[in-house]
C-alpha cells in the first residue's frame, strides 16, 4: 500500500466534504420540492424540514448551513424561489442550528428544533406580509407536527448511513 502525504490526505478530505455538502444540498432541494398535501388548501408541507434538522444534527452546523445555502442558490437559479423564500428558509435554518448549538442533540431538541424554526419563520412572515400570525401558524401546524415526529427518525436514518460510510472507509 502506498503511503499518502499529509497534503494528499487533506485534499482527499476536502473533496469528500465538498461532495457530501453537494449531496446534502441536493437532498434538501429535492425534498423541498415535494409537498405533502393536507386536508385544507395552504396547509401542505415540505419533506425538507425534518431532513434539514437531521442534517444539522448528524453532519454539523457548517455542512448544514452550506448545504442550505447551495439549495437556496439552486432554487434561485431554477426560479422556484425568490429572495423572500430564501430569507424565510435561512431563518428556519438559523433557528434550528441555534437550538441544537445551545441545547445539544437531545431528543426533545431534535423534535422541537424544526417546529420552532417554522414558528419563528411564520411569525416573521406575518410581520412582513401584514397577515395575522395566528392564521399563518395554524396553517403550519400539520407540517410542524410532522417535523416534530419525523426529525428523530431522520436522525437515526442518517446516523446509520454515516456509520456504513465510516465502516467502508475503515
Amino acid at each position: 500500500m502506498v503511503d499518502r502525504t499529509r497534503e494528499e490526505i487533506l485534499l482527499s478530505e476536502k473533496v469528500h466534504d465538498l461532495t457530501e455538502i453537494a449531496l446534502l444540498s441536493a437532498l434538501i432541494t429535492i425534498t423541498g420540492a415535494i409537498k405533502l398535501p393536507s386536508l385544507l388548501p395552504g396547509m401542505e408541507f415540505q419533506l425538507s424540514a425534518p431532513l434539514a434538522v437531521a442534517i444539522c444534527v448528524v453532519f454539523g452546523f457548517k455542512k448544514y448551513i452550506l448545504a442550505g445555502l447551495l439549495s437556496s442558490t439552486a432554487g434561485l437559479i431554477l426560479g422556484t424561489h425568490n429572495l423572500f423564500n430564501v430569507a424565510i428558509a435561512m431563518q428556519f435554518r438559523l433557528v434550528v442550528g441555534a437550538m441544537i448549538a445551545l441545547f445539544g442533540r437531545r431528543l426533545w431538541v431534535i423534535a422541537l428544533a424544526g417546529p420552532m424554526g417554522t414558528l419563528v419563520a411564520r411569525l416573521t412572515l406575518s410581520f412582513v406580509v401584514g397577515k395575522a400570525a395566528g392564521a399563518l401558524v395554524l396553517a403550519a401546524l400539520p407540517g410542524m407536527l410532522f417535523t416534530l415526529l419525523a426529525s428523530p427518525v431522520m436522525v437515526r436514518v442518517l446516523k446509520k448511513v454515516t456509520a456504513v460510510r465510516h465502516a467502508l472507509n475503515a
Side-chain angles (χ1 to χ4, degrees), residues 61 109 136 145:
F61 181 77
V109 178
L136 291 173
L145 178 62

Side-chain angles (χ1 to χ4, degrees), residues 26-56:
L27 282 172
I28 292 170
T29 303
I30 292 166
T31 57
I34 300 169
K35 300 207 180 353
L36 295 177
S38 188
L39 297 174
L40 299 172
M43 294 179 77
E44 65 277 345
F45 49 93
Q46 297 174 333
L47 291 174
S48 61
L51 177 66
V53 173
I55 288 171
C56 188

Side-chain angles (χ1 to χ4, degrees), residues 68-80:
L69 285 168
L70 280 174
S71 176
S72 292
T73 302
L76 286 171
I77 291 169
L78 294 170
T80 59

Side-chain angles (χ1 to χ4, degrees), residues 77-96:
I77 291 169
L78 294 170
T80 59
H81 288 75
N82 57 40
L83 290 176
F84 184 66
N85 299 122
V86 171
I88 294 298
M90 289 308 296
Q91 188 171 35
F92 172 89
R93 293 176 186 132
L94 291 173
V95 169
V96 167

Side-chain angles (χ1 to χ4, degrees), residues 3 26 29 49 65 72-73 77 79 81 111 115-116 118 126 135-136 138 147 153:
D3 289 331
T29 303
I65 207 70
S72 292
T73 302
I77 291 169
H81 288 75
M116 288 303 296
T118 300
S126 75
L136 291 173
L138 184 64
T147 301
V153 174

